Amino acid sequence: MTAPAASTDVVTLRDLDEPGRVPALVAFVSAVAWLLVGSLLGLVASLKFNFPDWWTGWAPATFGRVRAAHLNAMIYGWASLAMLGISVWLVPRLVHAPLRWPRVATGGIVFWNGAILVGVLALLAGWTDGLEWLEFPRSVVDPMLIVAGGMVGVTLLGTVLGGRARHLYVSVWYVAAAFVWFPIIFVTGNLPVFRGVESAAVNWFYAHNALGFWLTAIGLGAVYYFIPKVLGRPIYSYQLSLLGFWTLAFFYALNGMHHLIGGPLPTWMITTSIVASVLMVIPVAAVAVNHHMSMVGRFASLRYSPTLRFVVLGAVAYTAVSLQGIFTAFREVNRITHFTHWTIAHSHVGVYAFVTFVMFGSVYYVIPRLVGRDWPDGRLIAWHFWLALGGIGAFVLALNLGGVLQGLALMDPQVPFQASVEAAAPWLAVRSLAGVVLTAAHLVFAWHLWKVLRRAPTVGPLPPWHDPRPVVVPPPGPWS
Amino acid sequence: MLVSSAVVVSVGLLLGAIGLGAFIWAFWVGAFESLDEQARCILDERDLRMRRPWETPGQARERRRLYGGPLEPGPGEWGGALGRGGR
């Protein structure tokens, strides 16, 4: 690897990619391993709704432990690690500077994996903080995550600050902001000073912001890169992309309290959250219009590009989950959907149909550029896509319908509680079937990744997209 | 309730202050100028000149007119091997 010169110069994409290659590969491979672990845990948890007496004699396999292990393996294992991988690959390309301190980034990603392993084992052993999205023991695992994330964050923010691009593309804003926001909300959520309803308020402050300021931020950053990159044309409106970013930054922070509608909290707190949720229509509309208009007239590209196929569907899911979230934040809707499977469907639209699909598409684009060879089998990509789409479609449809029926039954004082359980039962069976399909999709994906990684290095000319294409590096930007 | 309200509000304000500070800084360094150039900064010559098989004849003509003779895409150019038999 040749370090780029300090002044106006020409480097190559390979120069920019190379330092981030190892940390990105470690992140992607371990992310997919956690995807498989999390899928199996989720499947076991789902089956326990259909067969409540199944596998109850062994405490680690009981629902309360398996469900928490599934959630944390997926959020912090799969999604976060995939996002770390995308970030260390994407940021150097965008700021025209190689990744700073790549060994620190690799160490951080390895340490992050260690934290997840300890955390998942702790949850299965019954050691939990008992807070949604914060189940990992705060005395052991959370400090490890802070250190590990900090190691990666320092390398990325250092790369941005030392960047030499003339402009900070909107994806850099999203990714860099995520690495500033996440430690703040994570530390706040883990402060060990809250009890009872206070704890619930801070818990949802964290959990909702983890979705908006971490998963959404890096997910949208990737969408804003891959759609124009594959289409070979700029995003429809760069103004709208900036509007979307800044309004997310200003309006999102207080959204979380809408999860506590009906709870013993001050009315102003809930109302403020509902107002903030409604304000989210601005960034959501800005992003949705921008992505849609960028694709208009070019939807045929989805037949050719697996990356676009996943990323565009992920972008559509972002719009869907955001509008659903705004809708659900209204008290009249929330009193029906709260405490039902609707919420589970909603979170899966966000974390799976949006974030996971964007990560799948990103991995399909990035891995060949990291290893210098193409994915070996287009049929496996097609299988992966259709299984994932079919699985999440059935999952969301079933739990949305089942959740509403369950909620209506719960609302009716004439209906016994048992009826609400029975109303949801058939939909829970569909959910488990969808879980089987999703797990199959992930196995196909993991198998394909294994195949591309174990193939012999390309002999002869590299694919054209891997050639050392020149990148003109201008004088330092104002942030350098 | 006082403690959690104070924390949530103060951290919310901190997040807002960080955003506001970043916004003012971005404005000051000219991050909201030359937006058209910013939108194009991720695209290099190969991205712009490459033939896209999904484009209509009109779109392809426009691409040639703006950026010159087309470059042929390589296998897996669009993020995977879908073009080689997978649908």
Side-chain angles (χ1 to χ4, degrees):
Chain A
M1 146 68 200
T2 307
S7 59
T8 302
D9 206 346
V10 175
V11 295
T12 67
L13 279 181
R14 203 185 297 169
D15 289 331
L16 298 178
D17 286 351
E18 183 59 28
R21 199 170 70 87
V22 171
L25 277 173
V26 172
F28 288 140
V29 171
S30 52
V32 174
W34 284 115
L35 177 68
L36 295 181
V37 171
S39 305
L40 291 174
L41 289 168
L43 192 54
V44 170
S46 181
L47 286 169
K48 283 177 176 289
F49 277 105
N50 315 122
F51 310 102
D53 297 326
W54 172 60
W55 211 3
T56 52
W58 190 48
T62 48
F63 178 80
R65 299 189 186 185
V66 171
R67 191 257 176 191
H70 157 69
L71 187 150
N72 285 273
M74 285 308 216
I75 301 294
Y76 301 106
W78 153 248
S80 294
L81 277 165
M83 294 191 319
L84 294 182
I86 292 298
S87 301
V88 297
W89 179 83
L90 189 57
V91 166
R93 281 191 166 216
L94 293 176
V95 302
H96 294 174
L99 186 69
R100 287 259 179 109
W101 315 300
R103 288 183 183 174
V104 176
T106 307
I109 289 166
V110 171
F111 197 45
W112 184 282
N113 270 289
I116 306 299
L117 181 63
V118 173
V120 168
L121 290 176
L123 292 177
L124 291 176
W127 185 13
T128 172
D129 284 354
L131 297 169
E132 189 82 4
W133 287 51
L134 286 171
E135 288 91 344
F136 282 159
R138 62 165 62 108
S139 56
V140 177
V141 178
D142 294 340
M144 292 173 73
L145 287 176
I146 290 168
V147 171
M151 290 166 75
V152 181
V154 162
T155 64
L156 283 171
L157 294 177
T159 307
V160 172
L161 291 174
R164 306 186 65 81
R166 199 185 306 279
H167 302 290
L168 286 184
Y169 186 64
V170 66
S171 299
V172 182
W173 283 108
Y174 274 111
V175 174
F179 280 89
V180 174
W181 287 327
F182 187 67
I184 295 173
I185 60 170
F186 190 72
V187 170
T188 305
N190 276 297
L191 288 175
V193 297
F194 309 112
R195 296 288 179 272
V197 72
E198 293 177 347
S199 178
V202 178
N203 183 193
W204 277 111
F205 170 80
Y206 166 74
H208 212 274
N209 284 334
L211 181 65
F213 282 157
W214 178 239
L215 301 175
T216 296
I218 298 182
L220 285 183
V223 173
Y224 271 115
Y225 179 78
F226 288 111
I227 288 180
K229 192 73 175 171
V230 174
L231 291 181
R233 61 199 298 257
I235 199 77
Y236 169 71
S237 166
Y238 196 74
Q239 287 91 332
L240 276 181
S241 70
L242 291 179
L243 178 73
F245 170 78
W246 288 106
T247 46
L248 175 90
F250 288 128
F251 299 155
Y252 201 93
L254 297 177
N255 269 231
M257 296 309 124
H258 69 222
H259 282 270
L260 297 170
I261 291 173
L265 285 99
T267 305
W268 69 264
M269 224 167 158
I270 303 294
T271 305
T272 304
S273 178
I274 294 172
V275 171
S277 304
V278 174
L279 282 171
M280 282 303 295
V281 78
I282 298 171
V284 171
V287 169
V289 168
N290 216 1
H291 292 161
H292 178 75
M293 293 307 291
S294 297
M295 288 301 299
V296 164
R298 287 165 174 82
F299 280 103
S301 59
L302 304 191
R303 289 179 54 219
Y304 294 87
S305 170
T307 292
L308 272 192
R309 196 180 272 196
F310 280 105
V311 168
V312 168
L313 268 168
V316 171
Y318 168 71
T319 307
V321 73
S322 302
L323 295 178
Q324 191 188 33
I326 294 167
F327 180 64
T328 309
F330 290 113
R331 286 187 174 90
E332 291 72 17
V333 179
N334 197 275
R335 60 205 287 260
I336 298 173
T337 60
H338 207 160
F339 302 124
T340 73
H341 297 293
W342 169 282
T343 308
I344 313 301
H346 177 58
S347 62
H348 279 76
V349 178
V351 177
Y352 196 93
F354 165 40
V355 176
T356 293
F357 263 54
V358 171
M359 290 302 114
F360 284 151
S362 306
V363 169
Y364 278 123
Y365 190 91
V366 175
I367 285 288
R369 286 157 174 83
L370 292 176
V371 300
R373 50 190 176 273
D374 191 15
W375 295 88
D377 194 341
R379 287 167 303 183
L380 289 180
I381 300 178
W383 271 102
H384 174 210
F385 175 78
W386 289 111
L387 286 171
L389 183 62
I392 193 62
F395 187 106
V396 170
L397 196 63
L399 288 194
N400 272 333
L401 287 170
V404 171
L405 294 175
Q406 183 190 12
L408 291 173
L410 284 169
M411 293 275 290
D412 188 345
Q414 306 300 322
V415 174
F417 178 77
Q418 178 64 18
S420 71
V421 177
E422 288 165 2
W427 307 105
L428 294 175
V430 177
R431 160 175 147 154
S432 291
L433 284 174
V436 171
V437 175
L438 288 173
T439 305
H442 302 159
L443 287 169
V444 170
F445 179 50
W447 170 243
H448 205 190
L449 180 66
W450 168 249
K451 283 182 75 169
V452 73
L453 291 178
R454 70 187 283 270
R455 281 172 73 188
T458 304
V459 177
L462 287 163
W465 34 257
H466 198 263
D467 279 350
R469 290 148 66 179
V471 176
V472 177
V473 178
W479 44 86
S480 296
Chain B
M1 230 23 259
L2 186 61
V3 177
S4 65
S5 304
V7 168
V8 169
V9 170
S10 57
V11 175
L13 287 173
L14 172 67
L15 289 168
I18 290 173
L20 188 62
F23 185 84
I24 292 169
W25 173 81
F27 192 82
W28 182 61
V29 300
F32 303 123
E33 297 165 7
S34 320
L35 294 184
D36 189 53
E37 192 182 334
Q38 288 190 44
R40 294 173 181 277
C41 72
I42 61 167
L43 303 170
D44 56 36
E45 188 189 358
R46 179 173 172 78
D47 295 320
L48 296 169
R49 287 180 57 190
M50 200 158 29
R51 185 180 66 82
R52 262 76 177 174
W54 58 80
E55 289 187 337
T56 63
Q59 291 168 341
R61 261 198 313 278
E62 180 68 0
R63 186 178 291 282
R64 278 198 301 276
R65 186 183 69 78
L66 289 172
Y67 308 115
L71 300 173
E72 284 303 306
E77 186 84 48
W78 323 113
L82 211 57
R84 294 210 303 260
R87 281 290 179 267

